[in-house]
Amino acid sequence: MEVTYRFDLEKIDWRELKTALAVDGFGNGRTPEQLERSFRNSHSTCIAQVGQRIVCTARILSDGICNAYLIDVWTLSEFRDRGIARRMVDSLLEKLQGQHVYLQCEDDAVEFYKKLGFGEQPHGLSLIVGKWLADG
Ligand SMILES: CC(C)(COP(=O)(O)OP(=O)(O)OC[C@H]1O[C@@H](n2cnc3c(N)ncnc32)[C@H](O)[C@@H]1OP(=O)(O)O)[C@@H](O)C(=O)NCCC(=O)NCCS
């Protein structure tokens, strides 16, 4: 199985990606257009494909100086445990030398991130301003 790791967003079928995420239980309500905008507005992105099929995503928000946020890390269920997410996250982290990278995840992904070198933070606080995905 050949996996292609892409750092561009050319010819991505956002509708298909939205469907794949939703079917795999990792959709967060974004429309295909919102999904595309969130990736395009990111500091960096990585998308893994097997043939034309998207099997893994990850993206980074960053100020380019000291603080970054890792988000949308997802591997299609049937492609998990093959090192795909590790390779994608490592590739994105390489471009963030000297920066403090944060993330938020469910309990069952904590060990995955620890294997990639992340440590737990004493507190994680968050706030949704107004209604979720208000900018439709
Ligand atoms: C978490 C997730 C991205 C891992 O993707 P993956 O492609 O299977 O991960 P990898 O194969 O690169 O795993 C890297 C290492 O972490 C381990 N690992 C992967 N998922 C793990 C988990 N949930 N718990 C513990 N270890 C895990 C792997 O066994 C591997 O270990 P190794 O290097 O010692 O062999 C994937 O399970 C997923 O998409 N989950 C649903 C969405 C999610 O929770 N995303 C993260 C929160 S934002």
Side-chain angles (χ1 to χ4, degrees), residues 2-85:
E2 190 178 344
V3 183
T4 306
Y5 296 89
R6 294 180 49 184
F7 299 93
D8 67 279
L9 296 173
E10 298 312 306
K11 295 187 180 158
I12 297 297
D13 187 333
W14 299 101
R15 197 161 294 277
E16 184 188 313
L17 176 57
K18 190 219 156 64
T19 303
L21 288 167
V23 169
D24 213 40
F26 198 60
N28 76 348
R30 280 168 291 182
T31 64
E33 293 72 26
Q34 288 172 323
L35 195 56
E36 177 174 4
R37 255 196 294 149
S38 61
F39 273 71
R40 289 201 184 281
N41 289 338
S42 299
H43 170 275
S44 47
T45 61
C46 190
I47 289 183
Q49 289 179 304
V50 172
Q52 289 303 307
R53 199 168 175 206
I54 295 175
V55 299
C56 190
T57 66
R59 65 187 179 98
I60 294 285
L61 309 177
S62 169
D63 60 15
I65 304 292
C66 51
N67 288 110
Y69 193 84
L70 173 62
I71 196 164
D72 280 343
V73 181
W74 161 79
T75 303
L76 188 62
S77 291
E78 65 196 84
F79 290 89
R80 289 180 189 171
D81 281 325
R82 300 170 193 225
I84 299 177

Side-chain angles (χ1 to χ4, degrees), residues 5 7 44-46 56-60 70 73 83-97 101 112-118:
Y5 296 89
F7 299 93
S44 47
T45 61
C46 190
C56 190
T57 66
R59 65 187 179 98
I60 294 285
L70 173 62
V73 181
I84 299 177
R86 177 196 282 278
R87 178 156 169 193
M88 293 190 43
V89 172
D90 283 349
S91 303
L92 290 171
L93 295 181
E94 275 175 22
K95 301 170 193 160
L96 301 173
Q97 294 301 318
V101 183
F112 162 71
Y113 286 113
K114 284 187 174 174
K115 285 196 165 180
L116 270 61
F118 284 80

